[in-house]
Amino acid sequence: MSSLKKLARQTATYGLSSIVGRLINYFLVPLYTRIFLPQEYGIVTELYAYASFLMILLTFGMETTFFRFSESDHDKESVYATSLWPVVTVNLIFAAGGILSASYFSGKLHYGDHAEYIVYFVLILALDAITAIPFARLRQQHQALRFSTIKLVNIGINVLCNFFFLIFCPYLVRHGVQLPDALYHSTGRVGYVFLSNMIASAATLVILHRELCAVRPAFDRKLLKEMTWYTLPLLLAGLAGMVNETLDRILLRYLLVVPHGIADAGAYVMAQMGIYGANYKISILMTLFIQTFRYAAEPFFFAQAREHDSRHIYSQVMTYFIVFGLMIFLGATLYIDIIKHFVGRKYYSGLGIVPILLLANLCLGIIFNLSIWYKLNNKTRYGAYLTFFGATVTIAANFVLIPILGYAGAAWATFICYFLMMLLSYFWGQKHFYVEYETTKILGYVGFALGLFFLSRYWPFRSPLLLFAANSAAFLLFVGVAVYKEKLTRVLLPRKAA
C-alpha cells in the first residue's frame, strides 16, 4: 500500500507543471470557438495535426537518442553537439524552403491569399524543433525548475499574444483607434493564432541562448553515424504512433462526404473539421490524467520489478487506474451540459463524440499500463509491432467510417484502434509476462459505469436542476462503491486521515 501511495503522490507531483501548462493552453479553446467560425477553426485543427507529424520528422528521434548516448561512455559535450547540429541544419533548410514555397502550399490547402499562415507555421515548427535538444539537455541535467519555467513562459507569452491580437486590438478598432497594418488588420484572423505561437517559440529560443551557445562548433561524425542508426527506428515508430493520434484530423478533409445542396463544399468540410477538433479538446480531462500518470508510473514500474510482489502491485495499479479513469469518464459525460460551455455554441453539434473519445483515451492509458511486460523483458520490438498494428487499424477504420459517419467515424476509428491495441497487448502480455489482473472486477466496474452513462441518457426529467441532481447521484454512487470496494482512502490520504 505504501508503494501505491508513493505512486499517487508522484503522479500529482510530476504532473503539476504539465497540467498547469496544458490547462493554460487549453483555455484558448473557449476563446477560439467563440471568435472563429467552425470553418476558420478547422484551419487551426488541420495545421496543428500536420505539426504532429512534421515535428517527429524535424527532430527525427534525436531527443531520445541524446538521452541514450549521454548515459554511454561517450563524452557528454560531444553527444550534445552531435545531437544539436544536425537538428539545427535540417530545420534551417526546412524553414527556408517553407517560406519560399508558402504561397504554393497555401493554394494547395485552399487558404486563399493567406500565405502568412504557412510562413508562421513553418517558423513555429523550426524554432520548436531546434529548442527540443536544449530542452532535452535540461532534463538530462535534472534542471527541472528551469525546464518547467521556460515551458510556462512560452505558454504565457502565447496566451498574452492571443488576447492582444484577438481581443485587445479588435476592441481598439471598434472604438475608433487606427492601428497600423503592420501590427493588426481585421482579415485573416486565424493567422494571429499562428503568429502568437511563433512569437512564443522565438522568445523560447532567446531564453535558451545559454544552452545553444554552450555547444561546441564541431560534432563527431563517427558518433553521428551510430546515433543515426539508433534513431531511425525511433523515427519510424514515432510516425506510426502519430498516425494513431492525429491522422483522423488530416483525413477528414479528403474523406468527408459533402451532402447534396451544400453550396460551398470547402467551407462545409473545414467547418466539420473545426467542430471535431474543438470537441476533441474536451477529452483533455482523460488525456491529462493519463499523461500525469505516465510521468510517475514508468520509473515506479521499473523500481517495483525488484520486489517479490511486483506482479500483484501491477495488478492493483491497473485496477485503480481504470477506476479513476471511469470516474473521469462519468464526470465528463454526466456533467456534459456544464462542460460543453468549454466550446462555443456553434460547436455543440459535435458533443456526441466526447464519450467515444474519452473511452478511447482510457484504452490508451490501459495500453500504457500493459506495456510493462515488454519493457521489463527487453522485448521492446513488440511495442513497435503494436504501434504499427494500431496505425494499420487507424488508416483502415478512417477510410471506412468517415465517408459513412462523418467526423463521428473518425472518433469511432480512434476508439477501435486503441481498443484492439489494448486487447492485443493484454493477450501478448499474459503469454510472455503473466500478471493476475482483476479482470472480472474490472469488467464489473466498466459495465457499472457504462450502465450509469446509458441510464443518464434516458432520465425522464426535463428540469435542468432535477437532471443535475440525478446525474450527481449516479456519479456519487459509482464513486461511493469504488471507494468502499477498493478502500481508496488508504491510497490517497495520509494514514491517520484514512
Side-chain angles (χ1 to χ4, degrees):
M1 189 59 66
S2 62
S3 297
L4 296 173
K5 292 176 74 169
K6 181 180 178 182
L7 176 60
R9 288 195 301 269
Q10 287 180 340
T11 298
T13 303
Y14 283 120
L16 182 60
S17 61
S18 174
I19 286 177
V20 171
R22 294 194 69 170
L23 279 178
I24 292 173
N25 235 342
Y26 274 93
F27 284 152
L28 291 172
V29 176
L31 173 68
Y32 295 156
T33 56
R34 283 163 175 80
I35 291 177
F36 300 139
L37 296 171
Q39 55 264 39
E40 291 178 304
Y41 189 65
I43 297 173
V44 178
T45 299
E46 182 178 38
L47 280 182
Y48 279 120
Y50 281 116
S52 302
F53 285 96
L54 289 171
M55 276 301 293
I56 291 174
L57 289 171
L58 294 172
T59 55
F60 40 92
M62 197 56 80
E63 292 168 278
T64 304
T65 303
F66 166 74
F67 286 125
R68 168 66 179 82
F69 281 80
S70 292
E71 300 303 324
S72 66
D73 55 359
H74 294 91
D75 175 63
K76 284 183 168 53
E77 292 301 317
S78 179
V79 171
Y80 179 56
T82 307
S83 303
L84 180 62
W85 282 117
V87 174
V88 171
T89 302
V90 166
N91 281 279
L92 289 176
I93 295 170
F94 169 77
I99 291 170
L100 291 173
S101 56
S103 296
Y104 170 79
F105 284 108
S106 178
K108 283 291 183 182
L109 292 170
H110 307 292
Y111 294 162
D113 297 326
H114 295 294
E116 72 273 13
Y117 295 175
I118 305 300
V119 173
Y120 299 151
F121 179 68
V122 164
L123 289 174
I124 291 166
L125 291 173
L127 291 167
D128 286 353
I130 289 171
T131 57
I133 304 303
F135 271 125
R137 193 187 202 199
L138 291 178
R139 291 166 61 195
Q140 190 266 332
Q141 294 176 341
H142 306 292
Q143 296 189 47
L145 181 60
R146 180 167 168 78
F147 176 92
S148 299
T149 301
I150 297 173
K151 287 287 188 182
L152 291 175
V153 167
N154 172 285
I155 293 169
I157 292 172
N158 186 25
V159 171
L160 288 174
C161 287
N162 270 278
F163 275 90
F164 175 78
F165 288 119
L166 297 177
I167 294 180
F168 185 65
C169 286
Y171 173 83
L172 293 178
V173 170
R174 285 195 304 270
H175 288 78
V177 178
Q178 292 291 329
L179 297 176
D181 286 343
L183 176 65
Y184 177 80
H185 52 84
S186 57
T187 59
R189 297 178 303 171
V190 172
Y192 290 115
V193 174
F194 306 118
L195 176 59
S196 299
N197 195 336
M198 189 198 75
I199 293 171
S201 297
T204 301
L205 186 71
V206 173
I207 296 171
L208 286 167
H209 73 279
R210 191 170 70 194
E211 283 73 21
L212 289 164
C213 294
V215 67
R216 293 200 300 238
F219 62 86
D220 187 330
R221 293 189 178 185
K222 181 180 178 182
L223 177 59
L224 178 62
K225 185 176 180 180
E226 290 181 50
M227 295 174 77
T228 301
W229 281 112
Y230 181 87
T231 198
L232 280 176
L234 297 176
L235 170 62
L236 296 174
L239 287 172
M242 202 51 61
V243 166
N244 300 334
E245 292 187 32
T246 60
L247 186 68
D248 52 355
R249 274 146 282 179
I250 293 174
L251 290 178
L252 280 171
R253 171 192 279 273
Y254 307 101
L255 298 178
L256 278 170
V257 176
V258 180
H260 294 294
I262 299 293
D264 190 341
Y268 171 83
V269 169
M270 295 307 293
Q272 296 298 292
M273 290 174 62
I275 293 169
Y276 180 72
N279 284 279
Y280 201 103
K281 297 288 187 182
I282 296 179
S283 63
I284 175 68
L285 296 169
M286 189 71 75
T287 307
L288 282 176
F289 168 59
I290 293 169
Q291 182 172 342
T292 55
F293 176 81
R294 290 180 68 170
Y295 272 112
E298 192 159 43
F300 173 83
F301 284 153
F302 282 110
Q304 289 299 315
R306 296 186 294 270
E307 303 297 329
H308 71 280
D309 61 343
S310 60
R311 302 193 189 203
H312 174 67
I313 292 174
Y314 298 151
S315 175
Q316 283 187 297
V317 169
M318 175 69 84
T319 301
Y320 290 143
F321 175 85
I322 292 174
V323 167
F324 280 110
L326 290 171
M327 287 181 188
I328 293 171
F329 168 75
L330 285 174
T333 54
L334 295 179
Y335 297 106
I336 194 69
D337 286 337
I338 298 172
I339 293 174
K340 71 181 181 182
H341 296 294
F342 181 72
V343 299
R345 189 176 299 275
K346 298 184 292 290
Y347 298 81
Y348 287 176
S349 59
L351 289 171
I353 67 172
V354 173
I356 304 168
L357 293 172
L358 287 168
L359 289 175
N361 280 299
L362 179 57
C363 290
L364 178 61
I366 295 171
I367 292 168
F368 175 77
N369 272 275
L370 293 169
S371 69
I372 193 63
W373 73 265
Y374 60 75
K375 292 177 180 177
L376 288 178
N377 286 341
N378 293 322
K379 295 182 178 181
T380 51
R381 67 182 184 276
Y382 282 95
Y385 298 156
L386 193 66
T387 303
F388 282 106
F389 167 77
T392 303
V393 172
T394 295
I395 294 170
N398 274 290
F399 270 89
V400 171
L401 296 177
I402 290 177
I404 300 171
L405 302 174
Y407 58 70
W412 278 112
T414 303
F415 173 77
I416 291 168
C417 165
Y418 289 143
F419 180 76
L420 292 179
M421 287 176 67
M422 176 186 71
L423 290 181
L424 182 59
S425 184
Y426 172 77
F427 288 115
W428 270 351
Q430 294 303 84
K431 179 180 178 181
H432 295 278
F433 186 81
Y434 181 77
V435 175
E436 193 173 348
Y437 292 114
E438 298 176 306
T439 310
T440 302
K441 182 192 287 188
I442 288 170
L443 290 175
Y445 279 125
V446 172
F448 186 26
L450 290 177
L452 292 173
F453 165 72
F454 285 114
L455 181 64
S456 72
R457 305 295 95 179
Y458 298 100
W459 290 134
F461 313 117
R462 292 293 177 264
S463 165
L465 187 60
L466 288 175
L467 191 62
F468 177 83
N471 285 337
S472 296
F475 179 71
L476 291 174
L477 176 62
F478 183 87
V479 172
V481 169
V483 169
Y484 174 76
K485 294 284 289 183
E486 303 305 323
K487 302 194 172 41
L488 294 178
T489 52
R490 294 171 59 192
V491 179
L492 298 177
L493 299 178
R495 184 171 298 174
K496 290 183 179 179

